[in-house]
Amino acid sequence: DRSWDHDCNYVAMALVRGIPELAATQLMLNFNHINEDGVLPDAVNPYEMIWNTTKVPLRGSALRYMFRQNPEVLTPEQERRYYETMSRNVQWWLTGREYAPCIWHGNEGGCDNATCFDRYPAVQMPYLHAELALLCEQLSRLASRLGREEESRQYAEKSRELGEQINTYFFDGERLFVRPLDDLTPYYSDCAHLHQAIIAHEFLNDTTKAAIVRHVRERLLCDYGIVSEPMDSPEYIGGGYESYFRGSVWWKDQIIFTVALREMGENELADEIVKRFRRGVEKAGFAENI
């Protein structure tokens, strides 16, 4: 039971069609340990809980995917429990730090040493906004089903606001960037992590979507799938474990990008990512990264 690398969310997504009751339980595992402020621990094991960091919340994109696969995946009681606990978590993300969504270290982003954290480790970033937009969207949906119409309206409004900020606060018309918390000056990086904001593609305007798809196709697609740092980047490190998020191919990136691209109708590019990642797995084995 851990939030590290979001394992429970991806397992729930994989189970939703075949074993929906187990998928619903899996998605909620981490919330057994939510604290009074609404924060989830970074890791849980039989001996300890680690609280020095947390993780970008994937529950929104996971729930959206699960509801699209099986609209009845949650029981009414599960819907109530999910809504109450996820509301606490999203409110902490929105107001618990600097009164704005931000992460304090690359470890919280799930891409520890990605180049978007090079100038300053604490940042506001488009991918966090994307996941929070989707989480608020799903909370709006759940609130409506629970008869809490005013709360549903408020979450829908916050969802639109967060999604629109990806276009206006983290994009200059050509490239995405993060805003380090020391002065909020835009800092540019070509790493995959920023471009995971495509998961909230419904909120992105055509220019933003086109820029991300172009970057994926031209800079991030390598022989073995989506690479964490473009191979033509001066910060790229190839050839082993030390590359980490500066060149390795990570399985979670393949999921995020292929799910979003298929929803956008970019099936050819999604198929190519899957084909190349399968090639990497066949050659190097299935591990955290290749």
Side-chain angles (χ1 to χ4, degrees), residues 90-286:
V90 78
Q91 290 302 326
W92 177 81
W93 275 107
L94 294 175
T95 64
R97 293 177 174 172
E98 309 295 330
Y99 293 96
C102 62
I103 62 174
W104 280 351
H105 190 276
N107 290 2
E108 293 194 334
C111 296
D112 307 6
N113 69 332
T115 54
C116 57
F117 306 111
D118 278 1
R119 192 178 72 75
Y120 197 76
V123 301
Q124 296 177 358
M125 67 180 310
Y127 178 53
L128 175 58
H129 268 59
E131 289 288 357
L132 289 172
L134 294 177
L135 182 51
C136 287
E137 178 186 64
Q138 295 308 311
L139 286 171
S140 175
R141 181 183 189 275
L142 289 174
S144 180
R145 289 169 68 98
L146 293 169
R148 303 180 182 186
E149 295 303 331
E150 178 58 22
E151 293 173 29
S152 176
R153 184 195 64 78
Q154 291 173 353
Y155 275 121
E157 182 178 328
K158 176 57 70 173
S159 177
R160 289 189 294 271
E161 176 188 328
L162 290 164
E164 178 57 28
Q165 285 175 350
I166 301 171
N167 301 302
T168 60
Y169 191 61
F170 296 108
F171 185 65
D172 67 3
E174 295 184 1
R175 297 178 66 193
L176 290 170
F177 50 81
V178 299
R179 290 184 179 270
L181 288 185
D182 58 344
D183 62 7
L184 298 180
T185 301
Y187 182 73
Y188 291 86
S189 165
D190 291 323
C191 67
H193 196 24
L194 274 73
H195 298 83
Q196 290 171 346
I198 197 174
I199 197 68
H201 56 87
E202 298 99 328
F203 297 95
L204 306 182
N205 61 37
D206 290 344
T207 303
T208 308
K209 285 189 288 190
I212 295 177
V213 171
R214 183 170 59 252
H215 188 73
V216 170
R217 181 181 288 114
E218 297 178 0
R219 301 285 309 282
L220 297 177
L221 186 60
C222 74
D223 289 345
Y224 303 118
I226 297 295
V227 69
S228 49
E229 179 74 16
M231 297 178 71
D232 60 357
S233 164
E235 307 300 330
Y236 172 81
I237 301 175
Y241 176 79
E242 68 275 7
S243 67
Y244 218 43
F245 290 97
R246 293 175 180 260
S248 295
V249 173
W250 293 79
W251 60 269
K252 66 182 181 61
D253 292 348
Q254 320 311 306
I255 295 173
I256 291 171
F257 284 104
T258 55
V259 167
L261 288 167
R262 290 196 193 285
E263 290 175 348
M264 293 169 60
E266 295 281 351
N267 292 311
E268 184 177 345
L269 180 54
D271 288 344
E272 189 64 26
I273 293 170
V274 172
K275 182 180 75 174
R276 297 189 186 196
F277 183 61
R278 183 183 297 123
R279 181 191 304 158
V281 171
E282 290 171 350
K283 181 176 181 180
F286 194 80

